[in-house]
Amino acid sequence: MVAEIISGNAISKQIREELKQEVARLKANYNIVPGLATVLVGEDPASQTYVGSKVKTCNELGIYSERHDLSADTDEQTLLALIDRLNKDTKINGILVQLPLPKDINENNILLAIDPKKDVDGFHPINVGKLMIGEPDYLPCTPHGIQQLLVRSGVETEGADVVVVGRSNIVGKPVANILMQKRTGANATVTVCHTRTRDLYSHTKRADILIVAAGKPKEITAEMVKEGSIVIDVGVHRIGKTKEGKNILCGDVDFESVKEKVKAITPVPGGVGPMTIVMLMTNTVKSAKLAAGVV
Ligand code: NAP
């Protein structure tokens, strides 16, 4: 068996088109323009690239964007003052603080300062709690993207044995939480594994849907997966450069061997990666609608 490839490139493109139409509808019918503010502290090249792509995607979709690039020596009070200003700014529906922040700034203080209504990353404890009780306003972007990859590829989650490898607050825990909810596109039986899991193999081997966010290159090999299962690989690792100087990437799954055994798998790159930004845009549009009371 050679696996079907679940293409995040194709699915994210489809969602972008839907969002573009929705943004145009909001403008035409209600004169609403959703707005996203990005906040970057310091000059980390990877963070600059991420922020750049978010701004570019806003422009493509017709979402207003405002970029706040602050120097690496910015103190916490200055950053909190900016967040406060953005919380009050009616043009802004979403505030995205690019992580990680410099070590002298307490990340938690910053995330707590963002108005939960503008927390389009879905990291504020209010939004984490709302997700937990099954009444979310915003789902965190990467986990929501994973759910969309499954749903839009026609993968049945209801009653499925889902095994998540990883329990981080940004991927493992929220994706488990989303997929265990009593609702369409979820209703799975979820197991979460981590470094203290006694026998990882025994869990991964019985998964109908295996979601891997371990942060270790090619950690999951063919003998660890069930034949005919679905594998979602969240990991991203730079493992070298091509002759042309382009990064060579791999995921947490040994794609080449695993794809021979499973029913469907996400590639790296082009799988989960492209979904994160579009789900951020989805949340920004949703925030604008919630703020205006528009459905
Ligand atoms: P993280 O914070 O490092 O968490 C990794 C988790 O995996 C931890 O819970 C850890 O367990 C667990 N783990 C590590 N090795 C394991 C093993 N051998 N067996 C079982 N569990 C193991 O990572 P993260 O932030 O969730 O990110 C995971 C990966 O996804 C990274 O490669 C990251 O770059 C990528 N990522 C991609 C996107 C995207 O948009 N594509 C977004 C976010 C993250 P303990 O808790 O016990 O330490």
Side-chain angles (χ1 to χ4, degrees):
M1 180 192 294
V2 175
E4 173 198 329
I5 303 299
I6 299 178
S7 169
N9 285 336
I11 293 172
S12 65
K13 197 167 163 214
Q14 190 187 346
I15 299 173
R16 269 170 200 253
E17 284 311 313
E18 291 166 11
L19 280 173
K20 217 172 177 173
Q21 284 177 25
E22 181 63 355
V23 171
R25 181 185 80 89
L26 291 174
K27 173 79 180 145
N29 293 1
Y30 306 99
N31 203 25
I32 292 173
V33 180
L36 177 73
T38 60
V39 180
L40 171 66
V41 185
E43 278 111 44
D44 175 59
S47 294
Q48 282 177 331
T49 308
Y50 295 142
V51 168
S53 345
K54 286 164 189 169
V55 170
K56 186 165 164 257
T57 308
C58 282
N59 293 340
E60 281 166 17
L61 300 183
I63 293 174
Y64 168 73
S65 72
E66 214 175 82
R67 193 170 166 159
H68 297 267
D69 290 1
L70 310 178
S71 64
D73 60 359
T74 300
D75 63 26
E76 197 169 310
Q77 285 314 313
T78 308
L79 189 51
L80 286 170
L82 171 62
I83 303 284
D84 186 48
R85 194 151 54 75
L86 295 171
N87 280 341
K88 290 174 181 145
D89 187 338
T90 52
K91 291 195 301 304
I92 298 302
N93 303 106
I95 302 170
L96 182 285
V97 177
Q98 188 63 48
L99 302 179
L101 289 168
K103 59 180 181 345
D104 290 339
I105 297 180
N106 182 325
E107 248 172 46
N108 237 359
N109 289 347
I110 303 303
L111 296 181
L112 277 173
I114 297 173
D115 182 343
K117 294 191 183 75
K118 298 191 178 188
D119 168 42
V120 285
D121 253 339
F123 292 160
H124 192 289
I126 294 267
N127 288 321
V128 176
K130 283 184 138 185
L131 164 59
M132 190 77 178
I133 62 170
E135 292 174 13
D137 288 329
Y138 308 114
L139 296 175
C141 303
T142 302
H144 191 192
I146 294 168
Q147 186 193 33
Q148 286 298 308
L149 284 175
L150 293 170
V151 169
R152 290 176 184 249
S153 308
V155 175
E156 181 58 86
T157 53
E158 180 146 343
D161 274 324
V162 171
V163 173
V164 180
V165 182
R167 57 175 163 185
S168 72
N169 288 335
I170 60 165
V171 188
K173 280 183 203 158
V175 80
N177 213 335
I178 289 171
L179 293 175
M180 75 166 78
Q181 294 296 325
K182 192 168 185 172
R183 58 171 66 208
T184 312
N187 272 321
T189 305
V190 183
T191 304
V192 179
C193 301
H194 44 78
T195 56
R196 304 296 190 274
T197 295
R198 211 175 299 137
D199 181 5
L200 181 65
Y201 174 97
S202 69
H203 295 286
T204 57
K205 189 76 189 157
R206 63 174 177 75
D208 299 320
I209 301 170
L210 178 63
I211 300 172
V212 191
K216 296 204 177 128
K218 303 189 185 185
E219 185 76 358
I220 301 296
T221 53
E223 56 284 6
M224 296 173 78
V225 300
K226 180 163 100 173
E227 203 140 327
S229 61
I230 311 290
V231 175
I232 305 289
D233 187 354
V234 189
V236 190
H237 308 277
R238 287 184 193 151
I239 51 168
K241 291 222 182 244
T242 62
K243 273 191 233 139
E244 297 75 35
K246 281 184 89 178
N247 287 317
I248 302 172
L249 302 179
C250 82
D252 288 350
V253 174
D254 181 22
F255 181 82
E256 289 307 323
S257 68
V258 171
K259 81 173 191 318
E260 303 297 324
K261 197 168 171 190
V262 298
K263 183 164 180 230
I265 184 168
T266 57
V268 178
V272 174
M275 298 300 290
T276 302
I277 288 189
V278 286
M279 300 329 292
L280 177 72
M281 301 299 145
T282 301
N283 281 347
T284 304
V285 172
K286 183 168 186 195
S287 174
K289 288 163 73 173
L290 287 174
V294 164
V295 278

